[in-house]
Structure formats: structure tokens, C-alpha cells
Amino acid sequence: MKKVLVLEDESSIRSFVVINLRRSGYDPIEAETGEQALEQLKRNPDIRVALLDVMLPDIDGFEVCRRIRASDSRIGIIMLTAKSQEMDKVTGLMTGADDYVTKPFSPAELTARIDALYRRTGGGDEGGDGELRQGPFRLNTRNRTLEKNGERIRLTQIEYSIIKLFMDNPGKALSREDILNAVWGRDYFGELKIVDVNIRRLRIKIEDDPTIPTYITTVWGYGYKWGF
Ligand code: CA
């Protein structure tokens, strides 16, 4: 069964999510507090996607996200944010979340996001194994790992997918729509901004100086380009 962690303290929202996930073939694991969520993850290492509410009675969702990411870069993380928390979206993504869904959300929207992340975190379904080497980077497509000058860079699955897309298209300007479609999928409901936030995070990890990016350059009014 495809396990999804649902961290939400409001029981009405949590049961709404749980019912809809079950209907879509997922096995939801529930948690009411941040501590419970971390415990459930320890108990269920096969959870591949986590939904994290931001406002919680104990530790907030961003902190939960940070703690998960400290030991696990592979799990897909979606933050559940309120409409008024526009800034939180960015904060959440910078702490290592892959995506966010704004409340109130429709079951179809939520399931589409989870499906997309589940495909991303699947591994093994990408075909073609081996290695891509460009400049100081070495991408292992079997283990889905990246090294820069021989040193491992920890990537989330979304970040890995973006780097893979870039390395498959060196020197080519990719529009933000291209990146969104290729990485998040065509059925994705989200905003283009998520591309920018993920690129920003990726630059911090891979650029020599993230304020003067040389590997991922901006193509103004269009998108991004991978090159040296
Ligand atoms: Ca809450």
C-alpha cells in the first residue's frame, strides 16, 4: 500500500483528507501533533509522501519539515498552508518541502499533487541507468545522487528531477512552464513560483556563490539555463 503521512491537528480536515486518500488508493497514516508525526515516520519507514499542516499545537510544520529533512532527503513533503500565509509557502519550501497546498483545497487537487510527488519519489521507473558528467558535477541516475567535485550533495527528489532535466538539456534555455511540466507533471495545479523557489534552494546547494549563479543562470522573462 502507498503510505502517506497526514499531519493535521484539526480532526475535521484530517478525516476529510484521510477519506479522500483512501478513495484514491492510498494508505493514510494519521498524526495530530508534530511529535506524533516524527514517531509515525520512524515506525513506518515506507512512507513516501508527507502532508504537513503548518499551525500545530506543539512544534510547527516547518520545524517538522526541517527535522524530517535532516535525516531523509527522499521523502516527498507537501505543506498545508492557510490562504493568509503567503510568505509561509516560501519559508516552507526553503526548509525543504517540495510543494504546498493552500486551504481550502479540493480533494482532486490534493490527490493530483500527491500522485505527482509519488511518481517523483518512485525511483526505478525512470529507465536508463548510469551517469551524467558535466563540469564538476556527476549525476548517478541509478541511485539518484549528485556529486560536485566528488562530494555528495543532498537533494530532494524534486531537486534531483530538476538537475536531471538540466543535465539532459545543457545550454538550452528552459521556460518555467517547461520545468513545471517536466518535473511536477502536466496535471499539476500549482503556480510557476514553485519553480523559482526550488531553483533558489538548488542554487544554495550547488553554486559556488548562490548570489552570482554560474551553473543555473536566469533567462530573464523566460526561465533558466544550465551551462558553464
Ligand atoms: Ca492546524
Side-chain angles (χ1 to χ4, degrees):
M1 276 293 262
K2 301 190 283 183
K3 287 187 184 172
V4 175
L5 177 76
V6 182
L7 168 58
E8 168 63 77
D9 58 317
E10 274 165 72
S11 59
S12 58
I13 301 179
R14 197 174 63 248
S15 21
F16 168 78
V17 170
V18 162
I19 288 165
N20 282 290
L21 287 183
R22 286 215 182 99
R23 215 172 270 160
S24 306
Y26 288 103
D27 178 15
I29 309 289
E30 298 179 53
E32 270 186 70
T33 64
E35 292 292 354
Q36 268 183 25
L38 294 167
E39 241 167 70
Q40 288 288 22
L41 282 168
K42 240 177 262 165
R43 216 174 299 156
N44 299 277
D46 49 341
I47 292 177
R48 294 225 318 256
V49 173
L51 300 178
L52 308 179
D53 184 30
V54 174
M55 301 287 283
L56 295 164
D58 57 342
I59 38 177
D60 76 38
F62 297 137
E63 181 55 27
V64 176
C65 178
R66 221 172 277 130
R67 290 195 199 172
I68 295 174
R69 275 288 178 252
S71 60
D72 186 341
S73 56
R74 296 183 76 90
I75 189 171
I77 299 178
I78 301 176
M79 304 302 299
L80 302 178
T81 65
K83 240 194 165 61
S84 55
Q85 297 166 318
E86 187 70 16
M87 273 311 295
D88 289 355
K89 293 174 181 174
V90 176
T91 315
L93 292 168
M94 294 309 284
T95 58
D98 297 293
D99 200 357
Y100 55 82
V101 174
T102 307
K103 295 177 190 176
F105 46 81
S106 72
E109 180 184 8
L110 185 66
T111 318
R113 302 291 187 88
I114 295 173
D115 289 346
L117 259 191
Y118 230 95
R119 278 197 302 273
R120 279 293 134 217
T121 56
D125 56 352
E126 209 147 293
D129 50 5
E131 227 180 47
L132 287 169
R133 283 168 183 265
Q134 284 166 24
F137 298 104
R138 194 166 70 174
L139 189 76
N140 183 318
T141 57
R142 205 169 5 216
N143 307 332
R144 300 166 72 88
T145 54
L146 178 71
E147 286 180 4
K148 180 184 178 187
N149 297 320
E151 267 181 51
R152 173 80 173 272
I153 295 176
R154 291 171 64 97
L155 298 179
T156 67
Q157 293 299 315
I158 289 282
E159 290 163 354
Y160 168 84
S161 300
I162 295 173
I163 287 286
K164 173 79 166 49
L165 178 69
F166 278 139
M167 290 180 84
D168 284 339
N169 296 280
K172 187 181 167 194
L174 299 172
S175 73
R176 295 150 88 221
E177 287 86 353
D178 290 339
I179 298 170
L180 192 75
N181 287 338
V183 173
W184 280 267
R186 282 180 201 286
D187 50 358
Y188 186 73
F189 285 71
E191 306 152 51
L192 285 171
K193 194 166 60 178
I194 195 172
V195 174
D196 303 321
V197 178
N198 271 278
I199 296 281
R200 203 196 316 169
R201 201 171 62 202
L202 207 40
R203 279 173 168 164
I204 293 171
K205 293 187 180 183
I206 69 160
E207 294 285 350
D208 303 331
D209 178 355
T211 60
I212 314 166
T214 53
Y215 302 121
I216 303 174
T217 49
T218 301
V219 181
W220 293 108
Y222 187 71
Y224 299 95
K225 193 174 82 172
W226 174 255
F228 302 100

